[in-house]
Amino acid sequence: MATKFVPVAPPQIIEGVYSTDQHARLLKLVRDKGPWEMILAQHFQSPEEVLATTSGTMPEGFTPTWEMFMSPVFRGYLAKGATALYPEIEDCFWNSKFTDLVRNYWGAEYARPENMLFNIQGPCRGSETPHVDATNFRGVDSLNAPVWLMNMMVKSGLFDRWRCKKAQVITWYYRGQVGGGFNYWPNGPQAEPAQIKAPMWGRAVVVENEMMYHTAEATGPSAMRWPDGLNIKSRMRSAPDSDGWQVVNGDTVIQDIPAEEFRLLLHWGADIYMDYNELKRALDHTDDISKDQVFDTLIADMRARGLTFEVPTDPLTDQKFIALLTRTYDPGKPAIFPPEPEEALAA
Ligand SMILES: [Fe+2]
């Protein structure tokens, strides 16, 4: 049985979660500290690994390419491992309003801010492969394992006992006229999608994105959605002499993005503990799982399903093995998509 991808509670939409001053400081940081790398470049070693974290699967023997998954969306971190990386936005990270929201969302006693990041983009096509966010397990987490492995652990449904509970507050700032919303599947990938519509300025959702398929809606004028020369090493930065932005290859500007086509997403994530016992179990490491246990469990489960395969010497990087796991545990691609955004209205 594959996991049922449904969040612990329906996503809650709220407005104005950051103050004007907080937003200004966050934006200044994004402008000043770039250029920022593409999301894909930061999280994956190969296109096969990307495939393992999205929905859908490919025929055996098919070789995926970076271009299949690449999109001009760029990312930077504001906090990692419960540590704010920039003192000037510490109040945004250590945010009692947010901890309160996510405790209530889960009905939990405790929440601890864990990470904070931003995605920035100009015009961009929509994704046909919505994803769930990477989660952590007690003993196997982003500090010692690749994103795809934890994703596979969720999809298999075999490691729920060790899965860390999480919640996010995701906030958008986008004033463009075409698309730019948030598409999500709150009742599972085979059910009807829902959509948070742009333009939005400080609109946020409280959500468990590890258990809910989601993706950005296509954004901006379609003619601008793929800058010429875009590659996995392209980066994004603020324009030096305007309030706009630029996509660059090294020092070469391949696209100018006006401020009104700039979309900022702020992701704030917390660890959740239902009660003191659960917190203790995590802090004391009395019930952790190891990567060896994970692979032993996956291999035993696939054998029990009647699959025949060679056990790889390094399952962490063996692309044939990753592809086999993907085919075995894929929960199915979302079947129904919201309509593409209207462009005529913006002309
Ligand atoms: Fe996501």
Side-chain angles (χ1 to χ4, degrees), residues 2 17 21 64 101 109 137 139 146 151 158 164 166 179 194 199 206 227 239-240 245 247-248 257 270 298 313-314:
V17 291
D21 167 61
L101 282 168
E109 281 186 53
F137 295 79
N151 223 287
L158 297 168
C164 300
K166 287 167 179 278
V206 185
W245 300 79
V247 179
V248 294
I257 299 166
L298 289 169
T313 43
D314 185 5

Side-chain angles (χ1 to χ4, degrees), residues 286-342:
T286 48
D287 186 32
D288 282 9
I289 190 168
S290 70
K291 272 179 283 188
D292 285 348
Q293 261 177 289
V294 170
F295 284 117
D296 288 349
T297 306
L298 289 169
I299 287 165
D301 182 64
M302 289 197 291
R303 288 214 168 109
R305 289 163 180 256
L307 297 168
T308 48
F309 54 94
E310 250 172 72
V311 174
T313 43
D314 185 5
L316 270 178
T317 55
D318 190 290
Q319 294 182 355
K320 255 178 91 177
F321 186 67
I322 296 173
L324 174 70
L325 288 167
T326 307
R327 284 197 304 277
T328 308
Y329 297 114
D330 178 55
K333 179 183 153 128
I336 312 161
F337 281 73
E340 280 285 301
E342 286 280 344

Side-chain angles (χ1 to χ4, degrees), residues 84-99:
L85 300 178
Y86 304 96
E88 62 268 39
I89 52 89
E90 213 160 63
D91 59 314
C92 304
F93 181 61
W94 295 110
N95 193 319
S96 329
K97 183 155 94 181
F98 286 11
T99 44

Side-chain angles (χ1 to χ4, degrees), residues 7 22 43 56 58 73 119 162 171 185 200 207 229 250 267 274 318 329 342:
Q22 284 178 324
H43 296 289
M58 298 283 164
V73 183
N119 291 350
W162 295 276
T171 313
W185 284 260
M200 42 196 176
V207 70
H267 166 121
M274 298 308 282
D318 190 290
Y329 297 114
E342 286 280 344

